[in-house]
Amino acid sequence: MKVPYPKKPNQILVRLIDREVVDGMTGRITNQSETTLSQKLADFLVRLGYDSSHILGITVQLMTNGKVQVDFQETTERVELVHPSDRTSSPEAISMFDDFLISMKTSEEKEAKGKTMRIVIQPRKKP
């Protein structure tokens, strides 16, 4: 069920704080910047994979609590809303993320009926 949400991802600013991880411990800040939520989500789609359910969890956490930390092997990334007033409910965040994914698809992908997986079953070899 679609739920209306107040702003689109390209209208929401997020602050990014990257830290290095050394021997399992968070180290110094390596980068601090601001970008739009849509740009950050696109980055996560490339880094984590287009079918990753983790990105939905990251989005819901960010939009409902205002901040989230994502740990990678050699870095940790804190993403926080620049304006706390941009926070939403879980259903709003899910609808926003679903619409964002749809907007990222090409027209050919939108027209496709769905993915087809090819599974090949080979008969057992007789001894």
Side-chain angles (χ1 to χ4, degrees):
M1 181 172 93
K2 289 284 185 188
V3 176
Y5 44 91
K7 289 185 178 180
K8 294 185 178 191
N10 63 350
Q11 299 170 318
I12 299 172
L13 287 177
V14 295
R15 182 175 298 112
L16 311 171
I17 302 169
D18 295 335
R19 291 181 175 267
E20 65 183 7
V21 175
V22 179
D23 296 327
M25 300 295 290
T26 305
R28 65 181 176 84
I29 294 175
T30 58
N31 187 31
Q32 189 168 346
S33 61
E34 288 184 7
T35 189
T36 64
L37 178 59
S38 63
Q39 186 61 41
K40 190 63 213 166
L41 290 176
D43 176 51
F44 280 145
L45 286 172
V46 171
R47 288 174 83 177
L48 300 174
Y50 282 91
D51 291 330
S52 179
S53 62
H54 297 297
I55 302 170
L56 173 60
I58 291 167
T59 304
V60 170
Q61 178 72 21
L62 173 64
M63 295 308 296
T64 58
N65 293 322
K67 59 187 172 186
V68 66
Q69 181 172 308
V70 183
D71 294 332
F72 296 97
Q73 187 172 359
E74 296 179 4
T75 62
T76 185
E77 187 171 291
R78 179 184 168 107
V79 183
E80 59 186 39
L81 296 174
V82 171
H83 305 289
S85 61
D86 287 337
R87 289 172 58 177
T88 64
S89 67
S90 291
E92 290 171 330
I94 292 168
S95 288
M96 181 182 66
F97 182 72
D98 287 344
D99 289 346
F100 175 77
L101 285 181
I102 290 168
S103 74
M104 294 294 290
K105 290 184 178 180
T106 64
S107 60
E108 293 169 357
E109 289 174 325
K110 288 177 185 175
E111 292 173 7
K113 291 183 179 179
K115 293 183 180 179
T116 301
M117 180 184 287
R118 182 173 182 215
I119 300 173
V120 178
I121 300 174
Q122 297 178 358
R124 278 195 225 169
K125 292 184 179 182
K126 295 181 182 180

